[in-house]
Amino acid sequence: MKKVVTIQDISCFGKCSTTVALPVISAMGVECAVIPTAVLSTHTAGFKGFTFRDLTEDIPAVTDHWKREGLTFDGLYTGYLGSPEQAAMIESFIDKIGPGYVFVDPAMADNGKLYTGFGPEIVAAMKHLCDRADIIVPNITEAALMLGVDYREPGTYDEGYIRDLAVRLTENGAKTAAITGVRYKDRPDEQGIVAYNRESGDFTEYFHENLPVSFHGTGDLYAAVMFAALILGKPLKDAMRIAATNVLNAIRATMDDPDYRYSVKFELCIPALIRMLGE
């Protein structure tokens, strides 16, 4: 049985980050340990006055304990981090524990801007962490910020813009860069993910229907499924397809409920996800 660890925050209510990653990865047949970076009373979209407890100082303590216990992992998946210091601590975790496969979602920005509470320091720290990864899955905002280039709105760019971002993201160490949320100007009704592997020089892409709705936490769901599928040995394109199809299923299961603001009803789609793994 494969064993992995995810390092990201816990939102006590609302489905994102660890509260998506842990159940989904476990349901896919992969043992999942966790190191929380922070604890929030709710997720940050649609709620006001949420609490936030920073767990930065716990990360090296957990790392050192696991090192003494001789714990090993087949993979590491990182998501939302509370500070630039946490990114450096994860690099230390990689050095001390040596997880077999490093998957980094540099969750720090969207729609052309950083998330609330982040400054430019997080960009440099996240970029440095990405350079240690086997695969990174930034959205276009995060890719543009890490490269210091102009962000372009969905549907305003062509294949050349995305491919250039992907290639440049691998120049300092990351083996594969997979850019999410891609919408080309000549394919406005589709959305997809475009990946570049610097060792083979190959591009891999998977596009699907673009649904005209938006839900919190779908990026976390996509990343968790893609990560677990890769850990289970699925080829990159299959992992991309399985993750995208699962997110679409979860959105469709949620979009007819206008009062549902807690992310998507991914729980209803787990049986279909397990079936896809066996295909």
Side-chain angles (χ1 to χ4, degrees):
M1 186 175 185
K2 297 292 186 179
K3 181 172 61 178
V4 301
V5 56
T6 186
I7 304 179
Q8 50 189 315
D9 70 284
I10 296 175
S11 292
C12 296
F13 185 84
K15 293 178 284 189
C16 64
S17 302
T18 300
T19 55
V20 168
L22 178 58
V24 168
I25 293 171
S26 298
M28 293 174 70
V30 177
E31 181 180 342
C32 187
V34 303
I35 298 180
T37 60
V39 176
L40 295 81
S41 55
T42 67
H43 66 59
T44 59
F47 295 97
K48 296 180 180 179
F50 53 84
T51 66
F52 179 93
R53 182 174 294 277
D54 188 342
L55 299 179
T56 298
E57 65 182 28
D58 292 335
I59 297 173
V62 173
T63 300
D64 290 342
H65 182 213
W66 286 5
K67 176 69 174 177
R68 292 194 302 272
E69 293 293 326
L71 298 181
T72 60
F73 299 90
D74 297 293
L76 163 67
Y77 157 39
T78 72
Y80 179 92
L81 306 178
S83 67
E85 291 76 18
Q86 290 184 350
M89 290 175 179
I90 292 173
E91 291 194 56
S92 178
F93 178 92
I94 294 170
D95 292 332
K96 291 180 178 181
I97 303 297
Y101 189 83
V102 178
F103 181 108
V104 175
D105 178 3
M108 59 179 169
D110 203 0
N111 300 314
K113 60 183 180 180
L114 288 166
Y115 293 148
T116 300
F118 282 155
E121 298 83 5
I122 191 67
V123 178
M126 198 69 85
K127 184 177 186 299
H128 204 269
L129 175 60
C130 284
D131 291 341
R132 303 290 304 277
D134 290 281
I135 186 168
I136 60 175
V137 289
N139 59 35
I140 296 170
T141 301
E142 291 155 351
L145 284 169
M146 287 192 289
L147 293 173
V149 302
D150 290 338
Y151 164 76
R152 297 178 63 176
E153 295 284 345
T156 67
Y157 47 78
D158 59 13
E159 183 181 84
Y161 173 74
I162 296 299
R163 289 196 168 198
D164 180 65
L165 292 179
V167 170
R168 292 178 59 188
L169 285 168
T170 66
E171 289 178 347
N172 292 318
K175 294 178 182 177
T176 298
I179 300 177
T180 64
V182 175
R183 290 175 60 194
Y184 292 138
K185 59 185 178 183
D186 60 348
R187 298 163 69 176
D189 297 326
E190 296 181 344
Q191 182 174 159
I193 179 169
V194 176
Y196 172 75
N197 180 283
R198 66 175 168 83
E199 295 179 342
S200 67
D202 293 335
F203 287 93
T204 304
E205 63 178 41
Y206 182 78
F207 279 80
H208 52 83
E209 176 187 3
N210 180 58
L211 296 175
V213 291
S214 178
F215 289 97
H216 185 73
T218 51
D220 297 336
L221 179 59
Y222 187 100
V225 173
M226 183 178 176
F227 168 66
L230 290 169
I231 289 294
L232 290 169
K234 294 291 185 182
L236 178 59
K237 188 158 187 174
D238 286 348
M240 292 158 59
R241 173 185 56 81
I242 291 167
T245 303
N246 180 69
V247 170
L248 287 173
N249 288 343
I251 291 173
R252 291 190 179 105
T254 311
M255 60 191 299
D256 290 334
D257 187 349
D259 296 325
Y260 200 84
R261 59 175 179 151
Y262 315 125
S263 185
V264 288
K265 301 176 182 179
F266 71 86
E267 301 91 340
L268 302 177
C269 304
I270 286 178
L273 171 60
I274 303 308
R275 288 193 294 271
M276 280 191 285
L277 290 175
E279 294 175 353

